[in-house]
Amino acid sequence: MDYNNNISFRKKTLLKLLHNITLHEEAIVEALYKDFRKPAFEAVITETSYVISDLKNTLGKLDAWAKPKKVFPSLLNFPSRDYIYSEPYGKVLIISPWNYPFQLAMCPLIAAVAAGNSVVLKPSELTPATSAIISKIIRETFQVQHVLAVLGDATLAQDLLKKRWDYIFFTGSVHVGKIIAKMAAEHLTPVTLELGGKNPCIVDQTANLPLAAKRIVWGKFINAGQTCIAPDYILVQTNMKRKFIGFLQEEIAKAYGENPELSPDFARIINKENWERLVKMIVPFKVICGGESNADEKYIAPTLIDETDLDSDLMKGEIFGPILPILTYDNQTDLKKIISRYEKPLSLYVFTEDTFFAETIIRNFSFGGGCINDTIIHFSNKRLPFGGVGNSGMGAYHGKMSFDTFSHKKAIVKKANWLDITIRYAPYKKKLKLIRRLFKWI
């Protein structure tokens, strides 16, 4: 089967994928709960429904995306018609993470198939139940030569990376992303790296504090903080700190009750290793609220930390868990000193009613994407690019940009034969002045 050029085949296969995902949706939700007690509501809005929506959007727009795009021709090439063709890269490797194991495996896969590629997908070994259902769905949907899911640990990933691919798409840690970039460079293989970072969340004195607290608590503690675009630390103006902490505590209690361990709406840490890493970051005398943990359950309570040390373990790297340090600032110079200590983050958030201040923050700091007066919701708009910058990643996807990510853009000039302008041909005598004039018009 010619996967590259048969748009009808691509759509037929994606329709089959849509049917199988819908058929197995309850099993996917159950697998996510089994892997790390992801609440059903979060599993639906961030995983299954998100993927289904992405699939339907891709199916509805694939014909338009794949059609050659006519562009305005250059006067130098007159007479001609110029086009951009979308060509599949070929063999694609997708390595997906454990924190949103269904969505972050399937959405790149959908785009790669839509663009006409063949795919090998390696889902995370840390979510075995979800990886198993992903593998089952892929077996039921695709020919093995077209799409294959392979299950295994980091050793398998290293073996896969030693092979030659036409494109590699990776979502995960900065450390592993750097390894993948080095290995891809051996064959000059293009890559998309969706990584992470320390995402600042600024709250200024004009902010609607109760609403800011509600939206920050939701964005931080969904999936137990295991979200690459979650707020990593709060920067609140000094004179607002005490008041704002009170609102944060109220919102945590509203969301998860007085004992979040009993809440059906709070996920668990993915494994013992990550649980131990997070627990070590919690310094008891700095805890404002939360701090409780349970090794057997891999549970860590939603925790607020009063942080003043920019070199503490909590501030050295991305937290990726339900621990939220609160720092203070007095002016924009303070903000610059703190935020600039760290690599460019994947996201940045600012809560303010001062539009000039918000615009200043957006323009003065480099980051992947973000929100004014909310958190993480920019991810949900398929018309916005999603991706990092610098240490937080390279490349972007979502919506049509996902299709473009997995497509080489081939430039084609279709030159007519009814006229041949001779100025470009040798001999060049007496043509230099004319060509300089011509370049002024193009």
Side-chain angles (χ1 to χ4, degrees), residues 110 151 207 240 358:
I110 291 163
L151 306 183
M240 310 296 294

Side-chain angles (χ1 to χ4, degrees), residues 235-310:
L235 286 163
V236 61
Q237 284 200 300
T238 304
N239 60 340
M240 310 296 294
K241 176 183 175 182
R242 185 178 298 242
K243 188 176 182 181
F244 188 57
I245 286 173
F247 288 124
L248 289 171
Q249 290 176 297
E250 288 178 15
E251 291 302 328
I252 290 172
K254 286 179 185 177
Y256 305 113
E258 293 301 323
N259 184 359
E261 188 172 4
L262 302 178
S263 172
D265 301 322
F266 191 69
R268 296 300 187 255
I269 306 305
I270 186 64
N271 61 11
K272 185 178 180 182
E273 180 182 355
N274 275 278
W275 181 87
E276 290 175 345
R277 175 185 64 83
L278 290 165
V279 168
K280 288 177 182 177
M281 293 182 183
I282 301 174
V283 179
F285 74 86
K286 293 183 178 182
V287 173
I288 298 168
C289 74
E292 300 86 4
S293 61
N294 183 333
D296 293 335
E297 288 284 316
K298 296 190 288 292
Y299 164 78
I300 296 176
T303 300
L304 302 179
I305 299 289
D306 187 0
E307 187 58 82
T308 57
D309 182 4
L310 297 179

Side-chain angles (χ1 to χ4, degrees), residues 395-408:
Y397 72 121
H398 282 189
K400 183 178 182 297
M401 284 160 282
S402 294
F403 177 87
D404 291 341
T405 289
F406 290 100
S407 303
H408 166 61

Side-chain angles (χ1 to χ4, degrees), residues 42-88:
E42 292 183 10
V44 170
I45 67 166
T46 67
E47 306 256 18
T48 57
S49 287
Y50 188 96
V51 170
I52 289 169
S53 175
D54 187 46
L55 246 176
K56 290 180 177 178
N57 180 64
T58 300
L59 282 163
K61 297 182 177 178
L62 181 53
D63 285 324
W65 293 348
K67 184 179 179 181
K69 304 298 184 293
K70 190 173 184 179
V71 299
F72 197 79
S74 170
L75 183 61
L76 289 173
N77 296 329
F78 182 82
S80 73
R81 293 171 294 152
D82 294 10
Y83 296 87
I84 300 172
Y85 281 69
S86 293
E87 175 186 81

